[in-house]
Amino acid sequence: MELKPYQQKVIQDISLFLEFLQREKNIENAFQAFWFNHPETPLMPLGGTAVEPYKNNIPNVPNICVKVPTAGGKTFIACNSLKPIFDSFDSCQFKAVVWLVPSITILEQTVKNLKNPDHPYRQKLNSHFGNRVEILEKDALLQGCGFNPTAVRENLIIMVLSFDSLRARDPDSRKIFQENGYLISFSELLGHEKDISLGEVLRFLNPVVIVDESHRATGELSIEMLTRLNPSFILDLTATPRENSNIICFVDSLELKKENMVKLPVVVYNCQNKAE
């Protein structure tokens, strides 16, 4: 499966922002330069720009948002975005991704599709990363199953987690941030052998973070959750961006209609007259 034209435009916009980020060496300046040079920059009357300044939600971490309507293929866009993102980094950067989702249902569906070698998502990842791709859930990470220094050096590691599993006040998150003997293999990378936790390893890997349905991760706990990951880059995907979003691409619903991707609504109502 190839990108639809509007999806290709999203990837081009992400790549353009990354180019400005490499050139400017400053997130705020890169965001401003991106919109100043973008052919679709919305302009106010009298020539002023309607684009708001960059919001530094996570200090010193690029955090951009793509607005894509429901059924617009956000997951496929995310899969295609990883190559240009990692290509913009230094070659020594670990290819680690924390993929955050808002619910267990979405988590299970995302993991199922990313693991399936016949699914377009996994096929695109395999194509971009030379078939060296591992998809891991929380339990596998906590037990060190397929998660070790060799794996993170040689593969693209996508760790699919729920928002709640990382929020500090959730009891389940304690497992991620408590000492874990299964992860002792990371002691050489970390430079010590005591109190190694999954949370510490994630911070060390400096992961790219994909936030699915990012409008559901904007509160104080969510900002704390993202900060604790020590991300190198954050890509928000949502149909309804919040006020603190740094939007770099808008996909209009009409674009989905052109590609026959709009789902027809089903209206259910009670008929009082059997003849109706």
Side-chain angles (χ1 to χ4, degrees):
M1 184 170 74
E2 295 303 319
L3 290 163
K4 303 291 185 182
Y6 71 87
Q7 294 172 331
Q8 183 63 52
K9 177 182 174 297
V10 172
I11 301 303
Q12 290 171 350
D13 283 342
I14 293 173
S15 299
L16 181 60
F17 173 77
L18 291 166
E19 289 178 15
F20 281 112
L21 186 60
Q22 288 180 303
R23 185 184 310 171
E24 298 290 336
K25 308 298 182 185
N26 177 281
I27 306 169
E28 291 85 354
N29 292 347
F31 188 75
Q32 183 179 21
F34 169 86
W35 277 116
F36 183 80
N37 291 277
H38 198 283
E40 296 181 8
T41 300
L43 296 178
M44 297 274 287
L46 307 178
T49 179
V51 178
E52 296 182 2
Y54 180 83
K55 291 97 169 173
N56 200 22
N57 301 316
I58 311 296
N60 303 314
V61 178
N63 182 184
I64 59 173
C65 177
V66 173
K67 181 183 182 298
V68 182
T70 302
K74 293 192 301 294
T75 304
F76 193 52
I77 288 172
C79 290
N80 280 271
S81 73
L82 292 177
K83 186 177 189 303
I85 291 173
F86 282 112
D87 283 349
S88 72
F89 292 165
D90 189 281
S91 59
C92 65
Q93 172 83 23
F94 293 108
K95 291 182 174 62
V97 178
V98 173
W99 193 305
L100 296 175
V101 297
S103 70
I104 297 301
T105 300
I106 296 176
L107 186 148
E108 291 174 348
Q109 187 65 35
T110 300
V111 169
K112 177 183 176 182
N113 292 338
L114 293 178
K115 283 187 172 183
N116 182 359
D118 296 322
H119 197 281
Y121 299 167
R122 182 53 179 265
Q123 290 176 343
K124 185 60 65 174
L125 291 170
N126 284 341
S127 173
H128 284 170
F129 294 92
N131 295 304
R132 305 190 73 88
V133 179
E134 293 290 342
I135 311 298
L136 301 174
E137 298 177 70
K138 184 187 67 177
D139 288 346
L141 292 168
L142 289 171
Q143 296 171 20
C145 297
F147 186 58
N148 54 63
T150 299
V152 299
R153 285 190 184 104
E154 297 181 355
N155 302 314
L156 170 70
I157 302 288
I158 297 181
M159 298 163 277
V160 187
L161 301 169
S162 69
F163 295 169
D164 286 343
S165 68
L166 284 170
R167 283 176 173 143
R169 296 178 192 175
D170 191 282
D172 200 37
S173 73
R174 296 171 188 166
K175 297 178 182 178
I176 290 179
F177 295 99
Q178 70 185 15
E179 184 178 3
N180 187 336
Y182 288 113
L183 302 177
I184 191 65
S185 63
F186 285 97
S187 60
E188 183 178 348
L189 280 179
L190 298 176
H192 65 86
E193 296 183 357
K194 296 182 179 180
D195 301 325
I196 295 175
S197 68
L198 175 57
E200 183 183 13
V201 175
L202 293 180
R203 287 183 57 83
F204 177 80
L205 294 177
N206 197 205
V208 168
V209 176
I210 303 292
V211 187
D212 191 9
E213 303 289 347
S214 61
H215 59 278
R216 297 169 66 176
T218 57
E220 181 180 338
L221 284 179
S222 296
I223 296 298
E224 181 182 346
M225 166 188 72
L226 293 170
T227 302
R228 294 177 80 184
L229 287 172
N230 185 35
S232 55
F233 191 92
I234 302 173
L235 177 62
D236 293 339
L237 300 163
T238 179
T240 54
R242 298 307 189 191
E243 291 183 357
N244 68 336
S245 300
N246 297 304
I247 303 174
I248 65 162
C249 190
F250 302 81
V251 175
D252 193 280
S253 297
L254 291 176
E255 295 297 325
L256 273 66
K257 185 176 181 180
K258 291 178 184 177
E259 300 297 331
N260 299 314
M261 295 186 71
V262 176
K263 297 178 180 179
L264 294 177
V266 177
V267 179
V268 180
Y269 61 96
N270 291 322
C271 293
Q272 300 300 320
N273 188 334
K274 291 184 180 181
E276 291 181 1

